[in-house]
Amino acid sequence: MTPRSAPDRLLSVLAAFDHEHPALSLTDIGRRAGLTLTTAHRLVAALTEWGALERDASGVYHVGLRLWEVAALAPRGLALRQIALPYLEDLYEATHENVQLAVRDGSEVVYIEWISGRSAVGVHIRVGARWPLHATGVGLALLAHAGQEAQEEYCAAPLARFTPHTITDPAKLRRMLAEVRRTGVAVSSRQVTEDALSVAAPVRGPGGVVAAAVSVVVPQADAQVPVLVPAVRLAARGISRALGWRPPKEP
């Protein structure tokens, strides 16, 4: 077995933390990172001194504020969120439903903002959460504009199923992506939970490249898709303009 490099061991300590494990003891960190207790202690001490980790009074470690400061510099993270937030708030005021902003990271969608609506629809989302691209509205909007090679690679991989309505047939997924490109919106119904439907639209940056996607999630039973589509499109267009995108001039 090839010895792990020092950067790899350091990153494995940070990777030990996730949404299911936001607080860990030193022993837990070593176990989840695959490190000896001595190595874990040395790396955790260095990260704590820098501010990447914080230790509470009980001796348990949490992610530190220093990482939040660094993350704020990411153009696809907090910087994008700050630009988009006024338009997301407008979309919320127009619908009073769950509003989301997400970016693509490989084969997954990562949520960078979420405004909770008043409906009781089951939304398994929080900021920083990840889902496969094919199972969500924002994911479909992002995948549809990811390029032919990326789409084919995604469709060739196993497609996870979460409900009986989740798209797991590659041919059906390809047809849906073509429809998203044709209409400019993605509609995902009951793919993650049985009671939810989302309408999403791509957000473009300078040059027209899709940088993110915005969506609204509503109860599937009484979803009024024709009413939601213009509102979501308007929000996506507003964020796109704020990012520097300009629509092509009519001939």
Side-chain angles (χ1 to χ4, degrees):
M1 181 182 296
T2 304
R4 296 167 66 183
S5 66
D8 179 62
R9 294 195 297 271
L10 193 68
L11 292 173
S12 70
V13 171
L14 296 177
F17 295 85
D18 57 27
H19 284 287
E20 283 68 45
H21 304 86
L24 296 170
S25 68
L26 182 60
T27 302
D28 290 334
I29 293 173
R31 177 178 52 81
R32 287 179 54 79
L35 301 171
T36 65
L37 191 58
T38 301
T39 301
H41 182 272
R42 176 169 52 82
L43 296 176
V44 166
L47 288 168
T48 302
E49 183 179 359
W50 185 74
L53 297 179
E54 296 177 357
R55 185 173 182 268
D56 64 22
S58 66
V60 172
Y61 291 89
H62 308 259
V63 173
L65 285 177
R66 187 71 179 271
L67 286 185
W68 179 262
E69 294 174 12
V70 174
L73 302 175
R76 294 202 305 155
L78 293 177
L80 173 58
R81 171 192 171 276
Q82 289 176 343
I83 293 173
L85 194 55
Y87 304 94
L88 301 178
E89 291 172 341
D90 287 346
L91 180 57
Y92 172 79
E93 289 300 326
T95 62
H96 290 286
E97 298 289 356
N98 297 283
V99 173
Q100 303 166 343
L101 180 70
V103 296
R104 174 178 168 243
D105 185 22
S107 61
E108 296 177 313
V109 58
V110 180
Y111 292 86
I112 61 174
E113 183 55 279
W114 170 46
I115 302 177
S116 180
R118 63 188 177 190
S119 69
V121 62
V123 179
H124 294 228
I125 299 301
R126 55 182 173 269
V127 173
R130 292 171 175 265
W131 281 90
L133 291 168
H134 69 282
T136 66
V138 284
L140 290 170
L142 291 165
L143 183 59
H145 296 89
Q148 192 64 36
E149 184 177 346
Q151 291 175 40
E152 287 304 317
E153 182 179 348
Y154 190 92
C155 291
L159 301 176
R161 180 188 297 275
F162 303 99
T163 75
H165 306 281
T166 307
I167 303 168
T168 56
D169 177 36
K172 183 176 181 181
L173 178 57
R174 290 187 184 95
R175 290 193 298 270
M176 178 169 282
L177 296 177
E179 182 68 7
V180 173
R181 290 190 295 274
R182 185 186 71 82
T183 62
V185 293
V187 179
S188 177
S189 179
R190 297 183 290 174
Q191 287 216 83
V192 174
T193 62
E194 293 273 6
D195 61 343
L197 177 145
S198 69
V199 178
V203 172
R204 299 182 182 275
V209 176
V210 171
V214 61
S215 73
V216 60
V217 181
V218 302
Q220 189 275 336
D222 55 2
Q224 300 182 37
V225 175
V227 176
L228 296 173
V229 166
V232 175
R233 277 179 172 160
L234 183 63
R237 192 177 182 89
I239 300 170
S240 298
R241 283 184 171 274
L243 290 175
W245 171 80
R246 295 295 177 266
K249 294 181 180 180
E250 294 293 335

